[in-house]
Amino acid sequence: MLTFGIEEEFVLLDRSTLVPVPIAADIQRALANFNFGRTVVQSEFLRCQLEYSSPVLMHFDEAAQALWDFRSAVAQCADEYGVVVAGVGTSFRNPAQAMVTEEGRYIAIAESIGILASEHYINGLHIHVGVPGREAGVVSLNYLRQWLPTLLAMSANSPFWCGQDTGFSSWRAIQYRRWSSAGCPPEFIDAIDYEKRILALIGLGVTPDKGSISWSARLSARHPTVEIRVADAQLDPSTTLLLALIVRALVLASMTQSETVPPDPAPELLDAGLWHAARYGLSAQLVHPLHHRLVPASEAVQSLLDAAHLALEVLGDLAIVTALAEQLLLVGTGADRQRLAFNTAGKVGLASFLARSIRNDSSADLPLAGHLGPNDPRPLESDSLD
């Protein structure tokens, strides 16, 4: 039974303008009253961002409880301060200047990236899966590469930028491509090769340390985990849970894969596939993860589910993942739902939708309620920037 953990980033927004507001430190202090201390809720690159690090988890029930508890608490704190807390990959509109958190590492990074600091209003979802060692982690990384575009398409939740519809489903993914080590990781020979190659990146571009490696999937610098970083921050906990359970199943599948696994796709196909997924999400065709040709999005998602099927059965997650995946294909990605809210009722409608989504109110028919369990007290520590 592989453990997993979830890091969710949230942004605090003005209710009327949907512009980020720099009160993350105030919300952090308020969350302490709900027993969410600074080992669980970390500051992020900007003073309008918070990151929640879950306990180390084993089962859907406890993961659902952990996400629900935190989101309920942070929503209540946001209400008290008169702001909206949102799980979105990008804000609807951004302020003119950066709100860099006054911590040494963040300040140093901001100084090194120039004007990019004022445009880094992006929020991600990071999923950790425990692995028995670095060698197993590299095997999983190599296997996961082919699935990253499909996972990005399923998680796409950032259609807006500077008050406009970008035409992309994940504008966060496009923004993040500008960083020096962003994108799909290369294929590695073994753990020694992995270590050698990440050490060569230290000091280049925006990579002052191992924790700033920005690949869409990597080995964690702090934990014995594979860390999948391709996803946008999510509107509601149900989609977060779907992605986390699928990623865990794929890691397990990588450890039990047969000799008939298709050859590793060319890096240019994976890179183009990531761009294509960022553009369209699930609203059009996607690159098939195994055959590398355009197919309906539902077919690409089904290919992923087929690859994870046996692992999901072993882990006891097949029924809930199947239900959540069907729901996602039915109601659309976060980007689709944000667009619908904005096109229906403008900024007021979008603000109301985001405020409801944080508690899952906007998708109450998802199979989340009733699947609750105890929390593991061990939180993850974030080593992320995005």
Side-chain angles (χ1 to χ4, degrees):
M1 180 66 76
L2 298 180
T3 60
F4 66 104
I6 297 166
E7 295 171 352
E8 288 199 286
E9 294 176 347
F10 300 96
V11 62
L12 301 160
L13 305 172
D14 181 271
R15 282 179 173 173
S16 58
T17 65
L18 294 180
V19 172
V21 289
I23 61 167
D26 296 324
I27 300 295
Q28 275 185 288
R29 286 190 289 270
L31 282 166
N33 296 324
F34 293 85
N35 295 320
F36 290 106
R38 291 183 180 270
T39 59
V40 176
V41 186
Q42 290 93 31
S43 58
E44 252 297 334
F45 183 62
L46 299 174
R47 290 179 286 128
C48 57
Q49 295 174 301
L50 292 169
E51 182 175 72
Y52 166 66
S53 294
S54 80
V56 177
L57 304 162
M58 290 190 69
H59 303 289
F60 170 84
D61 293 354
E62 59 182 341
Q65 181 73 74
L67 297 189
W68 182 270
D69 287 348
F70 177 75
R71 283 168 171 260
S72 296
V74 76
Q76 185 171 332
C77 294
D79 288 344
E80 292 174 358
Y81 277 86
V83 299
V84 172
V85 57
V88 290
T90 56
S91 310
F92 179 80
R93 186 183 295 277
N94 299 328
Q97 296 181 336
M99 303 175 178
V100 179
T101 300
E102 295 178 356
E103 294 181 9
R105 182 170 180 267
Y106 292 143
I107 291 173
I109 290 173
E111 290 174 351
S112 73
I113 62 176
I115 197 172
L116 288 180
S118 65
E119 298 181 357
H120 196 69
Y121 286 88
I122 62 177
N123 313 285
L125 164 67
H126 306 153
I127 300 162
H128 290 256
V129 180
V131 289
R134 304 284 279 187
E135 292 294 348
V138 167
V139 170
S140 293
L141 275 183
N142 289 341
Y143 179 75
L144 284 162
R145 294 170 73 243
Q146 62 196 327
W147 306 109
L148 292 174
T150 310
L151 291 169
L152 173 58
M154 294 171 69
S155 75
N157 186 33
S158 48
F160 300 115
W161 186 256
C162 297
Q164 296 183 336
D165 191 324
T166 64
F168 283 77
S169 292
S170 176
W171 187 247
R172 166 190 162 273
I174 301 302
Q175 286 288 105
Y176 211 32
R177 288 170 74 97
R178 303 182 299 174
W179 287 62
S180 55
S181 60
C184 185
E187 188 175 11
F188 302 101
I189 300 170
D190 52 25
I192 294 175
D193 183 44
Y194 180 90
E195 189 70 14
K196 176 182 176 181
R197 293 170 80 164
I198 63 169
L199 287 176
L201 289 171
I202 303 303
L204 300 178
V206 195
T207 316
D209 49 42
K210 293 181 181 179
S212 57
I213 296 288
S214 302
W215 289 324
S216 296
R218 68 184 187 186
L219 301 186
S220 173
R222 296 188 180 189
H223 309 289
T225 63
V226 174
E227 182 183 2
I228 309 305
R229 305 162 50 81
V230 73
D232 285 358
Q234 294 301 295
L235 289 170
D236 53 64
S238 294
T239 316
T240 295
L241 290 163
L242 168 64
L243 294 165
L245 295 179
I246 286 177
V247 165
R248 179 171 65 158
L250 290 173
V251 171
L252 180 57
S254 76
M255 298 177 181
T256 57
Q257 58 186 304
S258 70
E259 303 257 339
T260 59
V261 173
D264 194 68
E268 66 271 19
L269 285 175
L270 288 175
D271 190 55
L274 283 168
W275 193 98
H276 192 89
R279 173 66 174 86
Y280 296 106
L282 298 179
S283 66
Q285 292 183 313
L286 289 176
V287 178
H288 193 285
L290 301 179
H291 307 314
H292 317 305
R293 56 182 170 77
L294 288 175
V295 297
S298 59
E299 186 175 333
V301 172
Q302 187 59 54
S303 175
L304 185 155
L305 294 174
D306 290 344
H309 185 98
L310 181 58
L312 288 169
E313 278 191 326
V314 170
L315 294 164
D317 295 330
L318 182 60
I320 189 65
V321 164
T322 300
L324 290 172
E326 289 175 352
Q327 185 73 34
L328 178 64
L329 290 170
L330 178 65
V331 304
T333 64
D336 297 327
R337 286 177 276 164
Q338 283 196 65
R339 282 192 172 109
L340 179 60
F342 180 74
N343 292 337
T344 301
K347 280 192 297 184
V348 173
L350 180 58
S352 176
F353 172 73
L354 295 177
R356 297 196 313 274
S357 295
I358 198 71
R359 293 186 173 97
N360 219 61
D361 291 349
S362 63
S363 46
D365 55 339
L366 294 181
L368 176 67
H371 295 277
L372 306 177
N375 285 331
D376 184 310
R378 298 166 291 163
L380 289 168
E381 295 178 13
S382 171
D383 53 7
S384 68
L385 177 62
D386 163 32

